[in-house]
């Protein structure tokens, strides 16, 4: 069974009789490890009560586009960014038409327009409505926009008709949602990823470190796993659970990260250096705790080994991706780093902003190679990681 661990899914419910099955869909998605928030259209509330879905999902149900209180909490743009995948189930003929026309007249349609995550619809309607050329054309348009279409099934309908138009069963929908995250783009590839900060000891109780949370590196690992890669994370100290289906090597210092990375990269195809490795470490580590006897002390610092450039310069046939955390002239500094460290690609981000970068769940980044540059506008780190893995896989194949 494919997993959805740590995935964030919005279940959008529109007004059809199949809405009673949406409660079960929420449950099946949670069974596979995802977090689920529910957004309903006003007509969906005629078929199933928001309270049921609130109790099941553990989140308030979102329904109103113009509710100032709701917008002050998690508004439609926040919700759109939160979601890795927007699943509209059931999707009525009317709602599908509004997606095709890009209308933003309900909270759910506004989220559809604003999301950069994946979108799937599970249509549910009378067989006549489903086979109408207007609906067929609309479905064709959604397919061209990479919206995934689940079903519909064939069978007896609520109105007594028999034919195509029934919403698929909740467990079938949950299985297809899980499959959306499995791209296979990196199947057979070995990927090594460094993540998190390093700690450089001053004495047995103190250290030098930085604010890296490890979220970006772990998101890259998850995206690479979903793409079918065999992943090793070399992780500095972080407060994150390791993704399923990968090897995690835990390290503390830059020196440990360096030797683990060199060993793991020997037979790897791709190295992604997402760790915020401490640039300097104390030249010598005091054996005992340093006492507070003097008003000031001096620490002599020395450079730590540059892990990503050691790998790029010494390991053959490996595609090396670095990160550049910058506060100004982002592209220029990143391009300089790309050349100096002999990397194949670099992902640059602006760490001077508080809404993205360090510790944030969101990030905005540039993918830069020797002859290309592409911006990924602000989105969740999970989605950004997936987009980067996508572009990386295409680059390796070309
Ligand atoms: O030079 P700077 O630290 O800004 O470079 C960032 C890139 O280099 C990141 O990919 C980071 O993981 C990597 N790096 C490294 N070893 C170091 C310092 C940085 O692998 N000692």
């Amino acid at each position: 069974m494919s997993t959805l661990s740590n995935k964030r899914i919005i279940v959008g419910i529109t007004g059809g009789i199949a809405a009673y099955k949406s409660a079960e869909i929420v449950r099946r998605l949670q069974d596979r490890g995802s977090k689920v928030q529910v957004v309903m259209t006003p007509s969906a509330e005629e078929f199933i009560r928001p309270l049921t879905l609130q109790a099941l999902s553990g989140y308030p149900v979102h329904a109103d586009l113009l509710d100032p209180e709701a917008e002050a909490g998690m508004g439609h743009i926040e919700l759109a960014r939160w979601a890795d995948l927007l699943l509209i189930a059931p999707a009525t003929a009317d709602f599908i038409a509004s997606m095709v026309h890009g209308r933003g007249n309900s909270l759910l349609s506004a989220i559809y327009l604003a999301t950069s995550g994946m979108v799937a619809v599970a249509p549910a309607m009378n067989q006549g409505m489903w086979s109408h050329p207007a609906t067929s054309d609309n479905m064709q348009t959604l397919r061209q926009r990479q919206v995934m279409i689940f079903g519909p099934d064939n069978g007896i309908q609520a109105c007594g008709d028999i034919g195509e138009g029934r919403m698929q069963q909740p467990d079938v929908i949950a299985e297809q949602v899980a499959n959306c995250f499995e791209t296979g783009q990196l199947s057979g590839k070995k990927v090594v990823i460094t993540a998190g900060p390093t700690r450089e000891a001053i004495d047995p109780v103190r250290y030098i470190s930085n604010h890296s949370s490890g979220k970006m590196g772990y998101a890259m690992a998850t995206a690479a796993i979903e793409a079918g890669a065999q992943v090793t994370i070399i992780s500095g100290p972080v407060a994150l659970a390791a993704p399923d289906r990968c090897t995690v090597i835990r390290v503390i210092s830059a020196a440990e990260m360096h030797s683990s990375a060199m060993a793991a990269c020997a037979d790897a195809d791709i190295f992604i250096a997402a760790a915020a490795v401490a640039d300097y470490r104390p030249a010598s580590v005091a054996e005992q705790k340093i006492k507070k006897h003097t008003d000031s002390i001096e620490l002599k610092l020395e450079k730590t080994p540059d892990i990503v450039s050691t790998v790029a310069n010494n390991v053959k046939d490996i595609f090396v991706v670095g990160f550049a955390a910058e506060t100004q002239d982002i592209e220029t500094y990143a391009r300089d780093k790309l050349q100096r460290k002999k990397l194949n690609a670099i992902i640059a981000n602006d760490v001077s902003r508080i809404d993205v970068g360090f510790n944030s769940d969101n990030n905005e980044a540039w993918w830069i190679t020797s002859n290309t540059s592409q911006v990924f506008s602000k989105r969740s780190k999970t989605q950004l990681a997936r987009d980067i893995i996508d572009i990386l896989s295409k680059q390796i194949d070309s």
Side-chain angles (χ1 to χ4, degrees):
M1 182 167 97
S2 308
T3 143
L4 283 169
S5 59
N6 303 322
K7 297 295 175 297
R8 300 192 289 195
I9 296 170
I10 290 180
V11 173
I13 309 179
T14 69
I17 181 62
Y20 80 94
K21 291 191 202 166
S22 303
E24 190 64 20
I25 295 176
V26 171
R27 265 281 185 259
R28 296 287 80 82
L29 294 174
Q30 288 172 327
D31 289 347
R32 288 168 184 258
S34 63
K35 289 195 176 78
V36 180
Q37 294 207 58
V38 175
V39 176
M40 299 177 78
T41 60
S43 53
E45 294 183 33
E46 303 292 330
F47 290 91
I48 182 166
R49 305 299 299 155
L51 200 57
T52 308
L53 294 149
Q54 178 173 317
L56 288 176
S57 67
Y59 287 95
V61 168
H62 310 271
D64 202 346
L65 181 60
L66 301 175
D67 176 356
E69 220 170 276
E71 282 287 304
M74 207 179 217
H76 63 287
I77 302 293
E78 255 72 31
L79 280 166
R81 283 199 191 115
W82 179 87
D84 297 319
L85 183 140
L86 169 64
L87 166 69
I88 298 160
T92 59
D94 179 59
F95 193 80
I96 287 167
S98 80
M99 289 170 79
V100 167
H101 290 285
R103 300 197 56 177
N105 57 340
S106 69
L107 178 63
L108 188 55
S109 53
I111 291 171
Y112 164 63
L113 289 179
T115 191
S116 56
M118 292 185 274
V119 181
V121 295
M125 65 193 77
N126 164 269
Q127 52 82 26
M129 295 167 78
W130 174 251
S131 58
H132 194 281
T135 308
S136 305
D137 288 353
N138 286 342
M139 298 318 296
Q140 185 57 22
T141 306
L142 291 191
R143 262 185 221 104
Q144 281 163 359
R145 290 185 199 156
Q146 268 74 50
V147 172
M148 290 162 289
I149 321 280
F150 299 162
D153 277 350
N154 212 311
I156 299 180
Q157 304 205 292
C159 54
D161 281 5
I162 297 178
E164 219 176 340
R166 281 165 59 94
M167 187 168 80
Q168 285 187 323
Q169 292 307 320
D171 52 346
V172 176
I173 290 177
E175 176 68 24
Q176 293 190 85
V177 168
N179 290 343
C180 292
F181 290 93
E182 310 278 332
T183 68
Q185 284 174 304
L186 290 180
S187 68
K189 301 274 188 235
K190 283 193 177 175
V191 179
V192 177
I193 302 175
T194 62
T198 63
R199 285 181 188 165
E200 309 305 325
I202 298 170
D203 67 17
V205 293
R206 304 181 181 95
Y207 56 80
I208 298 172
S209 191
N210 59 59
H211 291 297
S212 167
S213 62
K215 284 180 186 165
M216 195 63 225
Y218 276 57
M220 294 296 297
T222 304
I225 295 163
E226 285 165 7
Q230 194 183 321
V231 175
T232 300
I233 308 180
I234 301 171
S235 176
V238 294
L240 299 172
D244 296 335
R245 299 179 285 162
C246 70
T247 305
V248 184
I249 301 172
R250 298 200 184 273
V251 297
I252 305 284
S253 67
E256 287 168 0
M257 190 174 270
H258 180 251
S259 54
S260 297
M262 285 305 284
C265 282
D267 62 347
D269 302 290
I270 299 166
F271 177 52
I272 302 174
V277 185
D279 294 319
Y280 291 93
R281 65 184 170 206
S284 61
V285 182
E287 266 178 39
Q288 304 299 331
K289 185 180 170 191
I290 300 170
K291 290 289 176 201
K292 252 190 308 188
H293 292 322
T294 53
D295 285 345
S296 65
I297 57 166
E298 278 187 13
L299 271 182
K300 186 167 182 231
L301 302 178
E302 64 182 17
K303 261 200 171 149
T304 53
D306 194 307
I307 302 166
V308 76
S309 56
T310 319
V311 171
N313 284 289
N314 294 288
V315 181
K316 284 207 182 76
D317 300 329
I318 189 165
F319 189 93
V320 181
V321 183
F323 273 76
E326 305 293 347
T327 54
Q328 55 174 336
D329 295 334
I330 298 160
E331 263 199 85
T332 318
Y333 283 117
R335 205 166 272 291
D336 170 63
K337 226 168 256 182
L338 176 85
Q339 282 157 4
R340 202 162 21 87
K341 299 194 182 205
K342 297 202 170 67
L343 311 179
N344 299 95
I346 195 154
I347 299 153
N349 55 127
D350 184 348
V351 289
S352 67
R353 287 168 51 180
I354 49 162
D355 59 330
V356 294
F358 278 146
N359 269 310
S360 168
D361 284 336
N362 295 316
N363 212 353
E364 178 179 282
W366 285 256
W367 166 265
I368 298 169
T369 64
S370 60
N371 53 6
T372 64
S373 167
Q374 180 168 340
V375 188
F376 292 104
S377 60
K378 181 173 166 182
R379 59 199 70 192
S380 72
K381 285 185 175 170
T382 319
Q383 187 56 42
L384 178 65
R386 210 173 282 133
D387 293 334
I388 290 169
I389 290 294
D390 181 57
I391 200 168
L392 191 159
S393 323
K394 288 178 182 142
Q395 188 111 17
I396 285 176
D397 286 343
S398 66

